[in-house]
Amino acid sequence: MRIGLYFGSFNPIHTGHLIIANYVAYNTDLDKVWLVVSPHNPLKPQSALLNEHDRFHLVEMAIKDEIRLRASNIEFSLPRPSYTVDTLTYLEEKFPTQEFAIIMGSDSFQNLPRWKNYEQIIKNYPIYVYRRPGHEISDTFGATIEILDAPMLDISATDIRKWIKEGKSVRYMVPDPVINYIADNNYYR
């Protein structure tokens, strides 16, 4: 089975994330897409993060009943901060019969040389890169990549958190069960 790993803070998960995950799951040669909730991305500040277990639960709620998508908390038991190369090594050991690939936006792909042991990643794993406006791919860094034109929504988790804090509606940007759970638990207030 070929599994695409879509890493993210998902703070919170929103419709833009879901469109990309669904598009990749149904428009590539991957069998499944795992949304890997990262407890702490070393390239992002941790201060604004909701607890990782809560973020994981929100992802599970958002993709409930979608057979080709799966929420993964695999990084919760690994050392922090989370480094993709370490997660991939662990997954290879835990699931030796699976083939893994990475899913990322062209903005993240441009930062690939800043990643820990990125040479090992590009040598051993294909990367599915979805285009993001303003972030053209001019260098592949020697990686095996597939460029995707997934539908894009110009929304961000940062904006969603801000709007929730301001008491504004985020309906249609976040799945209804996720919105309700966020409201019921007073997250991002």
Side-chain angles (χ1 to χ4, degrees):
M1 183 174 296
R2 293 176 49 80
I3 298 168
L5 303 172
Y6 183 18
F7 294 90
S9 299
F10 303 112
N11 188 37
I13 188 157
H14 56 68
T15 305
H17 295 132
L18 297 170
I19 288 171
I20 291 164
N22 192 70
Y23 179 87
V24 173
Y26 287 95
N27 292 282
T28 67
D29 59 351
L30 296 171
D31 299 303
K32 290 196 180 285
V33 170
W34 291 3
L35 289 89
V36 182
V37 179
S38 298
H40 177 209
N41 176 336
L43 300 178
K44 288 185 178 180
Q46 192 172 5
S47 59
L49 283 178
L50 188 65
N51 175 287
E52 67 252 27
H53 298 284
D54 295 324
R55 289 183 283 124
F56 175 73
H57 183 63
L58 294 176
V59 172
E60 284 185 313
M61 290 173 64
I63 63 172
K64 185 179 181 224
D65 301 326
E66 176 46 66
I67 59 170
R68 297 195 71 174
L69 303 181
R70 174 182 160 188
S72 173
N73 61 1
I74 200 84
E75 290 190 336
F76 291 12
S77 61
L78 298 177
R80 304 200 186 173
S82 307
Y83 293 101
T84 302
V85 69
D86 297 334
T87 304
L88 290 165
T89 300
Y90 180 76
L91 286 169
E92 289 287 341
E93 292 170 4
K94 187 167 173 129
F95 302 101
T97 62
Q98 311 299 338
E99 290 179 42
F100 293 99
I102 301 168
I103 301 163
M104 68 174 69
S106 56
D107 54 338
S108 294
F109 185 75
Q110 288 177 336
N111 290 323
L112 195 60
R114 294 177 53 204
W115 291 23
K116 177 183 174 186
N117 298 344
Y118 86 96
E119 300 92 346
Q120 182 181 340
I121 295 171
I122 63 174
K123 179 182 173 197
N124 296 306
Y125 302 95
I127 304 174
Y128 292 74
V129 182
Y130 55 91
R131 293 182 202 269
R132 303 240 1 207
H135 300 278
E136 291 308 312
I137 300 164
S138 57
D139 187 348
T140 65
F141 312 114
T144 301
I145 68 169
E146 182 172 332
I147 300 174
L148 306 172
D149 288 310
M152 287 281 112
L153 286 181
D154 188 19
I155 57 175
S156 74
T158 303
D159 289 338
I160 289 169
R161 290 191 306 272
K162 177 180 175 269
W163 295 327
I164 291 171
K165 187 173 185 164
E166 294 171 353
K168 295 177 181 174
S169 173
V170 293
R171 186 147 192 230
Y172 309 114
M173 291 177 259
V174 177
D176 286 344
V178 173
I179 291 172
N180 295 336
Y181 195 83
I182 287 171
D184 291 346
N185 289 280
N186 210 25
Y187 294 157
Y188 306 116
R189 289 282 175 177

